[in-house]
Amino acid sequence: MNDQSHKRHIAKAVTWRLVGTIDTIILSWIISGNPLTGLKIGMAEVLTKMVLYYFHERVWFKINLSKDGEVLESRKRHFAKTVTWRVIGTIDTMTLAWIITGNPLTGLKIGAAEVVTKMILYYVHERAWYKVNYGLPSRTKD
């Protein structure tokens, strides 16, 4: 694994966290009815999600789904990454929302809403990054 791949994964983590945080703030605000609660939950997630996302990227980078020694990138791989990330992300969001609001039901509601919005946003994010070569020496495209 080269140093460029680390830079790529950090860049992806930062861009995804920006999109994800905005989504969390809006959903938390709508569900809790309090914009400050939305901001607290969104800001609490920034650190936890950046770390979790970075490690998620590293694991997926090491998963060798290859043909003729070249890592295959495909819509199926992006969908699988979307599902695994959403499970991790939803658990983190529900836990933080529960802690911040003191209400486990609020955490569950926010987590449930995020499943839909975040999976769509994450898939689009993955497809956009697939078109960017930053941090990749070579690859095959689908």
Side-chain angles (χ1 to χ4, degrees):
M1 239 172 295
N2 65 37
D3 289 335
Q4 288 297 316
S5 70
H6 288 282
K7 291 177 185 175
R8 177 182 179 83
H9 297 154
I10 290 168
K12 282 182 72 174
V14 169
T15 58
W16 171 245
R17 186 54 2 231
L18 179 63
V19 171
T21 297
I22 292 167
D23 184 58
T24 297
I25 290 169
I26 292 168
L27 289 174
S28 299
W29 176 0
I30 291 168
I31 291 168
S32 72
N34 184 336
L36 185 57
T37 298
L39 281 172
K40 286 180 184 178
I41 294 168
M43 294 300 107
E45 281 195 335
V46 170
L47 181 59
T48 60
K49 291 286 194 321
M50 291 281 282
V51 171
L52 291 170
Y53 186 85
Y54 175 80
F55 286 113
H56 182 260
E57 279 295 306
R58 298 307 297 165
V59 167
W60 273 96
F61 187 76
K62 291 180 181 183
I63 292 175
N64 188 12
L65 303 174
S66 66
K67 180 179 178 181
D68 302 327
E70 301 244 357
V71 174
L72 294 178
E73 293 289 336
S74 70
R75 294 180 195 282
K76 290 179 186 177
R77 180 179 172 89
H78 295 153
F79 182 75
K81 282 180 72 175
T82 300
V83 171
T84 58
W85 173 245
R86 192 63 264 137
V87 169
I88 293 165
T90 297
I91 291 169
D92 183 57
T93 298
M94 288 188 309
T95 303
L96 290 171
W98 178 359
I99 291 167
I100 290 168
T101 66
N103 185 338
L105 184 58
T106 300
L108 285 171
K109 286 178 182 178
I110 293 168
E114 272 198 349
V115 167
V116 176
T117 61
K118 291 283 194 320
M119 284 186 74
I120 294 166
L121 291 169
Y122 185 84
Y123 182 81
V124 170
H125 182 262
E126 275 298 301
R127 294 306 298 166
W129 266 97
Y130 182 62
K131 296 180 185 307
V132 176
N133 288 323
Y134 178 74
L136 296 176
S138 67
R139 66 172 168 190
T140 43
K141 289 189 178 186
D142 57 345

